[in-house]
Amino acid sequence: MYTRRTPRSASGSGGLHRRTRNRAKPAAGLLATAALLVSACSSGSATTSAASAAAEAALVALPQATPAALSSYYGQKPAWRGCGVPGFECATLKAPLDYAEPSSGDIRLAVTRKKATGPGKRLGSLLVNPGGPGGSAIGYVQAYAGIGYPAEVRARYDMVAVDPRGVARSEPVECLDGPAMDRYTQTDATPDDGKETDGLVAAYRTFAEGCGADAPRLLRHVSTVEAARDMDIVRAVLGDEKLNFVGASYGTFLGATYAGLFPDRAGRLVLDGAMDPSLPARRLNLEQTAGFETAFRSFAKDCVRQADCPLGGKGTPPERVGENLKAFFEKLDTRPVPTADGDGRKLTESLATTGVIAAMYDEGSWGQLREALTSAMKENDGSGLLVLSDGYYERDADGAYSNLMFANAAVNCLDLPSSFDTPDQVRGALSEFQKASPVFGEGLAWAALNCAYWPVHATGEPHRIEAKGAAPIVVVGTTRDPATPYRWARALAGQLSSARLLTFEGDGHTAYGRGSSCIDRTINAYLLRGTPPTDGKRCS
């Protein structure tokens, strides 16, 4: 289930896609987990039946009283310490590995905070999560939110983040070392024959086996429901009666899950770039594929208006721009382009596709993408697209990868059953995915096969989240969001009993802090004064 919050890129700073305020970059490449959601039902009829079942199923709230078996976790006293980042302090908390059997062992959760700076009365803690799954909330708050959120918000709230279980500093799942990940990300993700299909399946198996060997017990307990329960422990330890939370992208699923489990403890929740938890993963994959096509068409229309567009001249229709890009990808399939990479990597079709997808998250990266495509297509230098791809995968200059890809798959494959069980099922769905996106559909369909080889079975299913009794929750959707299509925000707002839908008419992934003063003012008023927007409010 991949979604990830991404900032505008003000200066085209490499593959990080960061705003000058240093926000988190997008994550999860095609092969790793199919941009966003890579799990679901295995056939069209199964997808329909699963969707129907989800329409009836709803997340059930937990009892309001804290079970005695969890009292020691809720009563922890954090030992705050400096953590090398000015203004921030860090602590380690414990949570039960298995909430069904709390005595079976603990998991360590890394937490950081930056205390409210004042002036004004402190409003408590504001937890933030940038999405993923697999994105480091601690990295996000220390690099951006804790210093880049509006000053008036930081003045009134302690800015807090906890890395979810299995992510970054909270007992991270590890699967492959750097060289093995390099091989994995270069695997042909659009197989043309049986041999290439076998190679892709082997790559998925190797990845899954590596994850299983590293953390066989942990893999069974990194679900979104468990991460949401961990957040309630953090809330209690921080001394807050209610949880205040800003979640972006996958973070909206985490926040909505919290509200569904603990509606009486849900405070001011902002769910930006919302997901629809009621859909089976194949449907989610398909709709996100269409979302990337929508974003690409916006890019294509802008590209042909620029003098440096390598995909077409002024007036070239988006369909033709897409055909030109697809032809370039197909050329790379047989003849990868050299790069300046110190490890000798060439730009393959898979890496190039990931680089293009990375730029779809943020229209501020479109200029960088045009430059990278021009270098690769006309100058035989794939370095620019490789930089974009490496930023997407969180690969550093030394060839090391963060655990983003590993945690992403671990959570996705536990939260929902696999999209496809066999390569033949993928082939049967190719036309549907290619119709949704002629440019990206084939690769995204094959990417949805990865959970078929996961070493543990899914524990989650599609379901509605109603959170009856919760205070007003702000759900934010962007009309041309590539990773979380706008209809998902409308769907989640329709499920949550107290939701207020806030719409940003624009491009890119998520809306808060991305340049719309209307969006920012509206969310700030909610966070600071508890005043939610009128349901259906629209901003541009």
Side-chain angles (χ1 to χ4, degrees):
M1 185 178 312
Y2 164 68
T3 62
R4 180 71 181 274
R5 184 174 195 170
T6 310
R8 297 174 187 268
S9 176
S11 58
S13 53
L16 298 183
H17 317 305
R18 291 180 178 172
R19 205 171 184 176
T20 53
R21 295 187 296 187
N22 197 17
R23 223 187 265 193
K25 52 188 172 291
L30 285 174
L31 191 59
T33 46
L36 181 62
L37 306 149
V38 203
S39 0
C41 300
S42 58
S43 69
S45 59
T47 299
T48 301
S49 61
S52 299
E56 300 298 327
L59 186 64
V60 177
L62 293 171
Q64 292 188 22
T66 300
L70 300 179
S71 59
S72 62
Y73 297 104
Y74 276 79
Q76 295 175 83
K77 303 296 182 184
W80 295 104
R81 63 189 185 280
C83 46
V85 181
F88 287 88
E89 51 189 0
C90 295
T92 301
L93 301 177
K94 293 190 299 182
L97 176 66
D98 183 353
Y99 277 93
E101 297 183 20
S103 62
S104 64
D106 298 335
I107 189 169
R108 296 182 300 275
L109 301 174
V111 185
T112 190
R113 74 176 177 185
K114 185 179 184 183
K115 290 186 176 179
T117 56
K121 180 181 178 181
R122 180 181 173 277
L123 296 174
S125 304
L126 180 65
L127 269 71
V128 297
N129 183 282
S136 172
I138 290 178
Y140 176 72
V141 76
Q142 290 180 347
Y144 169 68
I147 57 177
Y149 262 35
E152 57 268 37
V153 173
R154 291 181 286 116
R156 307 285 299 281
Y157 284 100
D158 291 349
M159 299 297 296
V160 178
V162 54
D163 279 345
R165 51 177 61 205
V167 174
R169 297 164 178 84
S170 293
E171 300 201 20
V173 174
E174 300 291 344
C175 302
L176 302 176
D177 61 17
M181 271 299 289
D182 279 346
R183 292 190 294 272
Y184 181 72
T185 60
Q186 294 175 75
T187 302
D188 189 342
T190 55
D192 300 315
D193 53 35
K195 182 179 180 180
E196 291 184 353
T197 300
D198 290 344
L200 180 59
V201 168
Y204 286 147
R205 289 188 184 277
T206 298
F207 185 93
E209 289 167 0
C211 297
D214 175 72
R217 289 191 69 208
L218 179 61
L219 285 191
R220 293 175 170 82
H221 297 289
V222 292
S223 69
T224 297
V225 165
E226 289 163 312
R229 296 192 69 172
D230 292 343
M231 288 204 304
D232 196 54
I233 290 176
V234 174
R235 173 204 58 77
V237 169
L238 293 171
D240 292 318
E241 181 180 349
K242 293 181 180 289
L243 179 83
N244 301 309
F245 177 81
V246 177
S249 204
Y250 162 81
T252 67
F253 182 38
L254 181 60
T257 299
Y258 180 90
L261 294 173
F262 307 102
D264 59 308
R265 300 173 193 168
R268 299 172 187 177
L269 271 58
V270 177
L271 309 180
D272 184 11
M275 290 176 54
D276 180 356
S278 74
L279 296 179
R282 175 172 164 181
R283 172 81 174 272
L284 288 164
N285 287 332
L286 186 63
E287 292 190 4
Q288 193 194 42
T289 297
F292 277 107
E293 183 67 19
T294 297
F296 177 76
R297 284 174 172 264
S298 290
F299 163 75
K301 292 175 183 178
D302 178 78
C303 185
V304 299
R305 291 196 291 263
Q306 313 301 324
D308 61 343
C309 180
L311 296 171
K314 186 175 182 179
T316 304
E319 295 81 1
R320 182 59 182 167
V321 174
E323 290 169 3
N324 292 340
L325 180 60
K326 186 66 175 176
F328 171 62
F329 288 159
E330 291 171 353
K331 180 179 178 182
L332 291 174
D333 190 28
T334 56
R335 288 186 290 171
V337 170
T339 72
D341 179 59
D343 294 318
R345 291 177 301 156
K346 292 185 176 182
L347 181 71
T348 63
E349 179 187 14
S350 294
L351 292 173
T353 304
T354 300
V356 173
I357 280 179
M360 293 300 100
Y361 283 78
D362 174 19
E363 68 273 27
S365 297
W366 289 355
Q368 180 184 357
L369 177 59
R370 292 196 307 273
E371 181 180 348
L373 285 169
T374 298
S375 295
M377 297 174 71
K378 298 185 177 181
E379 300 166 13
N380 206 42
D381 180 3
S383 301
L385 282 172
L386 185 62
V387 165
L388 283 165
S389 178
D390 284 350
Y392 201 56
Y393 282 116
E394 292 197 353
R395 181 192 192 272
D396 66 25
D398 296 327
Y401 290 77
S402 77
N403 98 304
L404 171 65
M405 295 295 103
F406 314 137
N408 187 278
V411 176
N412 282 337
C413 296
L414 200 61
D415 273 351
L416 288 172
S418 179
S419 296
F420 301 108
D421 295 327
T422 68
D424 284 343
Q425 290 177 355
V426 178
R427 293 189 188 97
L430 281 178
S431 61
E432 189 178 21
F433 276 77
Q434 289 171 319
K435 181 179 180 181
S437 175
V439 178
F440 305 117
E442 182 181 8
L444 292 175
W446 281 106
L449 181 63
N450 74 322
C451 286
Y453 309 102
W454 203 244
V456 298
H457 293 296
T459 57
E461 293 286 351
H463 55 267
R464 294 170 55 83
I465 300 179
E466 299 172 353
K468 293 180 179 178
I473 298 171
V474 176
V475 176
V476 188
T478 297
T479 55
R480 293 185 295 279
D481 191 315
T484 51
Y486 177 64
R487 68 158 304 280
W488 292 356
R490 289 192 284 110
L492 180 61
Q495 294 169 39
L496 292 168
S497 62
S498 61
R500 306 291 178 87
L501 178 62
L502 174 62
T503 298
F504 173 54
E505 297 177 347
D507 296 293
H509 185 38
T510 74
Y512 186 43
R514 287 180 42 84
S516 169
S517 59
C518 173
I519 290 287
D520 292 353
R521 284 195 309 269
T522 302
I523 292 177
N524 291 345
Y526 171 67
L527 291 175
L528 294 171
R529 297 187 292 277
T531 306
T534 302
D535 188 34
K537 180 180 175 67
R538 302 182 76 88
C539 295
S540 59

